Amino acid sequence: MTPARSTLAVVSVLTAFTQRLRRRSREPHVPPRERDLALVCHCRRVTRATVADAIRGGHATSLPDIQRQTTACTRCFGCRFDLERMLRGSLGKDYTPTPFLTRPDALEGSVTEGRTLPRRMYMPIFAGYRDHDVSTRVVIFNWADEADAGTVPVKVRADLLAMDGTRLEVWETTIEPRCSAILDGREIIPEDALEEGVGVVKLVVDSLSLGSLRPYFHIVTPTSISTTHEKTGPHDLDRGVMPRRYNFMFPIAPPTRPEEAYLFATNTEAQPMEGQHLVWRDEDGEEESHALPRLELDQSVCVPLHEVFPAIGAGTGQGTVRLEPALHKVAGFMVRVDGEAALWRVQHL
Amino acid sequence: MASAAPLSTQPWLPTYGWWPPASAYVLRVVLSPYHHSVDPRAEFAFTLRGYGGAATPAWEHEVGRLGHGEQRVVDLSSLDLPAPPPAGGVLEIDSVRTDEPPQQGRNPYIGMWLDARGPNGGGYLIPTIPIRGAGKTIARDDLQVVPGVMASQEVETELVLLNPVDETIEVRLVASSADGLASESKPFEVAPWSAFHEDLSGRIPRLRRLLAPSGGLGSLAIYSSHRILPYFAFRRPGQPIVSMDHPAPIFG
């Protein structure tokens, strides 16, 4: 065994700051002044108090106003739903939601170049989903060797999102070269934080060069550990949704044991995902369609394919389930569950 | 006599996956155009080949031509194939779009999906990937990483390395704990057109001890003298693996 570095920076999954933040967010008796100091925009380090002042002072009646006045919500857009809640709370029915996010010209990325965004990487999080004994962890590896001179510690932030995009928790850490960060859902997700036991981790990486920083996640049950990597959102928010050249697709071969099949998808684009369908097509060309709900940026859906497409549920069909029309870039995953043996199988689309 | 997908006469690169021992998995190849194109005029031709240590395929199965919208699920157990070597072999999916060549700026390959099922459940579902003939499009051709490998009494990492080229590939594995301590394997070789399949702790000295402080978790760097196609999976004692994934290339 060879020490890789004399100075070992053991990655702390939760910083002291994060712990304080989490305590605040769950304790209703926290004094208002202290609560106002909490960050709402972790990219730009904008506090709730700053945003509240802008709203109270009449300078901000919309999300674009907040962006221009405070710089909040101009990088990863993870605070969008928080800010809308604040606007709605102050303005009531006078508040008109913005159809979709844009970014003021004056606020280009400070870490990334031009108008590109920080890396946003999405992974599903299962924690007791449908009463299964299942949990999730995320591993990020900052590999560097002799050929990577100049590799530096990398700051990452992970947001735990509910399926409706609401941010529930924030974790920040710095990963030293050659070290790995491990976010274990059993330790960091508060009990009952995820309704129905499913959510999303959105990783925001402050690095122009991704290098080896591609997180993988593990779905853990008493009998199995399944793994695959994240799916990344588009770098350029302003490009708009463009027709894709291929469909996101879930291949289906008949199972040898009874199993459930789920398609998990997060909208990673600023424009809402509307009018999308899952289309099951078997080898004989027979098709069935299932409409997806409208999904805004960072909102997710987990569709039980074995329930909406009877042939998949019966284990008799073979073919594919695809997302139509081929437009949005989703972070998509397929999950299959052999409930009796507690065997979970995950793969990115 | 069958031969490997010709790189000089067709513009589409073949893709590869593991041809596992038939006693371990029932392998189905899902051939579908939707993973490549939304063009209803697109037409495809598919041929499957298996390799067991030689550039000449041990078997070949011509699926034929499919129009856009047509799909096939080919069950290898129905093809009366010879057995691969004990570590498995290399499966070649030769997917060619017959109505047009690859477009500028698009990947010149058409990946398909492998769905493998174990006799006691589990298995893996994985897309096929080009290696042979693929141009350099990533920052490091000699290195791929696996964030999150495991070695403990409760979990073992299985490693599959596929060599679908005509030269022997030398491989070196470097595992590191969460806090950056490292241990590495002796260099070893994967013969041309062959598969390597072993437990990670059998190759890297004292791996379980290295990873113990972080709950049996760490990460892995895979160095290779030529771009290689690795897969990894986790296995609990007495249980099947439930997925396989590829490592992360080093992006620029």
Side-chain angles (χ1 to χ4, degrees):
Chain A
M1 198 177 298
T2 311
R5 292 174 65 85
S6 56
T7 307
L8 296 177
V10 177
V11 173
S12 167
V13 174
L14 299 176
T15 63
F17 165 78
T18 305
Q19 288 169 345
R20 284 200 304 277
L21 179 71
R22 290 174 61 191
R23 275 200 298 277
R24 280 182 199 138
S25 66
R26 285 203 298 274
E27 293 175 8
H29 61 273
V30 173
R33 176 65 189 149
E34 189 178 346
R35 196 165 58 231
D36 286 350
L37 288 174
L39 295 179
V40 64
C41 174
H42 291 260
C43 291
R44 303 287 191 193
R45 317 301 287 180
V46 179
T47 64
R48 288 181 183 278
T50 301
V51 173
D53 286 348
I55 298 172
R56 272 197 300 268
H59 306 299
T61 60
S62 67
L63 203 53
D65 287 345
I66 291 178
Q67 290 175 311
R68 282 188 292 267
Q69 292 289 326
T70 71
T71 77
C73 204
T74 55
R75 289 194 72 239
C76 86
F77 308 100
C79 54
R80 179 252 181 99
F81 295 106
D82 270 349
L83 297 177
E84 287 192 327
R85 219 170 13 247
M86 291 177 74
L87 284 163
R88 199 175 291 114
S90 290
L91 305 176
K93 60 186 176 191
D94 291 336
Y95 170 61
T96 304
T98 305
F100 60 88
L101 286 161
T102 56
R103 185 169 43 168
D105 287 341
L107 295 170
E108 296 181 352
S110 62
V111 172
T112 52
E113 291 175 344
R115 294 191 61 80
T116 60
L117 298 171
R119 301 280 182 172
R120 297 170 298 131
M121 299 183 263
Y122 297 84
M123 292 151 278
I125 290 288
F126 294 96
Y129 181 59
R130 290 191 164 191
D131 294 326
H132 289 286
D133 184 357
V134 59
S135 63
T136 311
R137 67 174 161 242
V138 176
V139 184
I140 315 158
F141 185 29
N142 183 13
W143 178 248
D145 65 12
E146 307 77 37
D148 298 313
T151 297
V152 294
V154 176
K155 182 182 167 188
V156 299
R157 195 186 81 231
D159 293 353
L160 174 66
L161 309 179
M163 298 294 275
D164 66 2
T166 305
R167 187 162 59 187
L168 303 172
E169 293 283 333
V170 177
W171 308 293
E172 291 177 298
T173 191
T174 300
I175 312 173
E176 298 291 330
R178 300 192 183 218
C179 293
S180 302
I182 301 164
L183 298 171
D184 191 333
R186 291 170 302 181
E187 297 170 4
I188 60 180
I189 298 175
E191 199 173 338
D192 300 327
L194 292 173
E195 275 184 49
E196 300 179 16
V198 60
V200 183
V201 160
K202 172 184 168 186
L203 202 75
V204 180
V205 177
D206 271 348
S207 175
L208 188 59
S209 168
L210 196 59
S212 67
L213 293 166
R214 190 171 204 179
Y216 280 60
F217 62 95
H218 298 172
I219 294 183
V220 183
T221 77
T223 54
S224 68
I225 300 175
S226 183
T227 181
T228 192
H229 61 77
E230 53 62 58
K231 294 301 283 184
T232 305
H235 304 316
D236 185 358
L237 183 81
D238 304 318
R239 70 183 184 123
V241 173
M242 295 186 296
R244 299 181 62 79
R245 290 165 165 164
Y246 64 93
N247 299 97
F248 286 110
M249 196 188 83
F250 187 157
I252 301 284
T256 50
R257 291 167 51 90
E259 70 177 18
E260 302 161 7
Y262 299 89
L263 188 140
F264 186 101
T266 303
N267 178 20
T268 69
E269 309 246 22
Q271 288 179 285
M273 209 167 99
E274 294 181 282
Q276 293 272 313
H277 287 73
L278 293 178
V279 179
W280 157 242
R281 184 180 177 93
D282 69 16
E283 233 181 353
D284 298 327
E286 296 294 319
E287 287 195 345
E288 288 180 68
S289 182
H290 174 78
L292 290 182
R294 181 180 191 271
L295 297 179
E296 301 210 18
L297 172 68
D298 288 353
Q299 291 186 331
S300 305
V301 66
C302 187
V303 180
L305 300 180
H306 57 286
E307 294 174 6
V308 300
F309 299 125
I312 296 176
T316 55
Q318 54 187 22
T320 56
V321 175
R322 68 184 190 275
L323 191 60
E324 285 277 11
L327 284 173
H328 277 72
K329 183 171 186 183
V330 299
F333 301 89
M334 41 192 132
V335 181
R336 296 186 294 185
V337 179
D338 177 344
E340 188 180 318
L343 299 174
W344 281 56
R345 313 170 60 195
V346 67
Q347 176 63 39
H348 60 78
L349 294 187
Chain B
M1 178 180 286
S3 58
L7 300 183
S8 57
T9 57
Q10 70 181 39
W12 295 96
L13 295 176
T15 60
Y16 294 93
W18 190 33
W19 172 27
S23 58
Y25 299 101
V26 172
L27 184 66
R28 270 82 64 97
V29 183
V30 182
L31 304 171
S32 171
Y34 296 108
H35 198 216
H36 170 75
S37 176
V38 295
D39 183 352
R41 299 164 301 176
E43 291 184 340
F44 304 85
F46 297 100
T47 305
L48 313 181
R49 301 183 186 92
Y51 301 84
T56 302
W59 56 270
E60 179 178 87
H61 175 69
E62 191 173 325
V63 179
R65 289 174 177 264
L66 299 181
H68 191 269
E70 293 183 279
Q71 305 180 110
R72 293 287 181 275
V73 179
V74 180
D75 186 337
L76 293 197
S77 66
S78 69
L79 297 183
D80 192 24
L81 303 178
V90 175
L91 178 66
E92 182 176 78
I93 314 290
D94 194 2
S95 312
V96 176
R97 186 164 171 182
T98 56
D99 62 312
E100 65 175 33
Q103 292 177 9
Q104 188 79 19
R106 288 201 71 184
N107 290 326
Y109 67 89
I110 307 169
M112 291 293 143
W113 289 85
L114 305 180
D115 185 315
R117 309 277 180 154
N120 300 313
Y124 57 93
L125 178 64
I126 189 90
T128 57
I129 296 174
I131 291 287
R132 183 169 150 259
K136 183 173 181 176
T137 56
I138 52 179
R140 297 279 301 267
D141 254 359
D142 65 330
L143 172 63
Q144 300 172 67
V145 298
V146 182
V149 292
M150 302 195 71
S152 69
Q153 287 190 332
E154 287 80 38
V155 192
E156 181 56 72
T157 299
E158 289 187 21
L159 186 65
V160 172
L161 302 171
L162 301 181
N163 177 1
V165 299
D166 287 327
E167 62 184 84
T168 296
I169 297 180
E170 186 175 282
V171 177
R172 182 169 57 93
L173 307 173
V174 182
S176 60
S177 62
D179 58 6
L181 291 172
S183 178
E184 68 180 65
S185 73
K186 290 180 181 168
F188 59 96
E189 293 180 342
V190 183
W193 296 99
S194 294
F196 164 98
H197 179 212
E198 285 188 14
D199 287 351
L200 192 61
S201 59
R203 278 282 160 180
I204 297 183
R206 299 178 294 280
L207 181 63
R208 289 186 178 185
R209 192 193 303 176
L210 175 76
L211 304 185
S214 45
L217 269 162
S219 295
L220 179 70
I222 302 171
Y223 289 91
S224 57
S225 58
H226 183 283
R227 194 188 294 184
I228 199 167
L229 180 51
Y231 294 106
F232 69 101
F234 301 129
R235 187 185 70 244
R236 288 200 186 272
Q239 299 291 339
I241 68 164
V242 287
S243 65
M244 256 189 199
D245 206 11
H246 57 84
I250 305 297
F251 296 103

